[in-house]
Amino acid sequence: LEAVGDGSLIEVRCLDKVKNRPPRRGWFSKAYEVLAYIRAAKQDEYDVYIGANPRKNKESGESAVASPIFLWSDIDCGQEGVDQAERDVMTVGPKPWAVIRTGGGIHAWWLLDASAPKDKWKIAMAQLCEKVHGDTNALDLPRILRVPGTLNHKYTPARECEVSFWGGEKSSLADFITVKPEVELPPMLSLSIKAHDGGSSTPFSRAKDVPIV
């Protein structure tokens, strides 16, 4: 919340793919509310995710996302590939704001120094993903990513999600765009807003995204 500024909403989503309990979802504007919700979900053995970009309302899909302020890459490398993946994200350009070990790979986050136009943000995401061999299915604006300090119940026993690197510094969007905007985007980034918002009548349609590790 300190990073995204006042007036933003942080979405927290709790999924259970082991016991198949209904998902939980909440939006919060205060840090203590976010932390309390996450702690309760962890105690109840949910997999806990956070909206990678702040929300402007309590709805679903791309239209619910405020101007993007984060870039990320979801790298599904398995535990044996984590060290190499971390070296890759450290040398691709600006150092990440944070790197999270998810139990099955890493989530690398970059905090921008200003909110980005969505069209340029999508280009930066596509190029970043290609450079670090990230998951092209995890590039959408309303993406949710795992929360450090929680457990990944995809594995038995469950694996800890933990902060591997914390830099805390901001980056410029221009540092991630190296070709003309006419670059072809991956299918996930080429989806229309209608596809994000109108594909399902359930408010938890985003929970069906795969893979989320």
Side-chain angles (χ1 to χ4, degrees), residues 23-178:
R24 298 179 182 177
R25 194 180 193 184
W27 294 262
F28 308 97
S29 60
K30 299 184 183 301
Y32 73 87
E33 296 174 332
V34 174
L35 293 174
Y37 196 83
I38 290 172
R39 289 193 188 106
K42 179 182 178 181
Q43 186 173 5
D44 289 342
E45 299 183 338
Y46 275 88
D47 286 77
V48 187
Y49 302 84
I50 195 166
N53 272 311
R55 304 330 195 203
K56 60 184 178 182
N57 56 48
K58 298 180 180 181
E59 297 179 3
S60 300
E62 184 172 318
S63 61
V65 177
S67 297
I69 196 70
F70 279 102
L71 300 174
W72 62 84
S73 192
D74 178 352
I75 304 177
D76 305 332
C77 55
Q79 287 186 307
E80 67 282 357
V82 162
D83 289 343
Q84 181 59 54
E86 290 183 343
R87 285 193 290 270
D88 289 344
V89 300
M90 288 295 182
T91 57
V92 69
K95 280 188 169 54
W97 179 71
V99 177
I100 311 301
R101 293 193 176 194
T102 65
I106 68 170
H107 292 163
W109 295 66
W110 287 263
L111 174 61
L112 300 175
D113 56 11
S115 58
K118 291 183 179 180
D119 56 345
K120 292 184 178 179
W121 177 90
K122 291 180 179 182
I123 295 167
M125 283 289 288
Q127 294 186 2
L128 175 60
C129 180
E130 181 178 5
K131 288 178 181 178
V132 299
H133 311 292
D135 180 3
T136 58
N137 290 316
L139 305 179
D140 48 320
L141 273 165
R143 173 59 39 177
I144 54 176
L145 298 173
R146 288 190 180 272
V147 176
T150 64
L151 296 176
N152 184 339
H153 294 94
K154 179 180 177 181
Y155 304 95
T156 303
R159 297 176 182 174
E160 186 82 20
C161 300
E162 58 186 359
V163 176
S164 174
F165 172 79
W166 171 258
E169 296 183 1
K170 297 181 180 181
S171 303
S172 169
L173 183 68
D175 292 334
F176 298 89
I177 299 179
T178 57

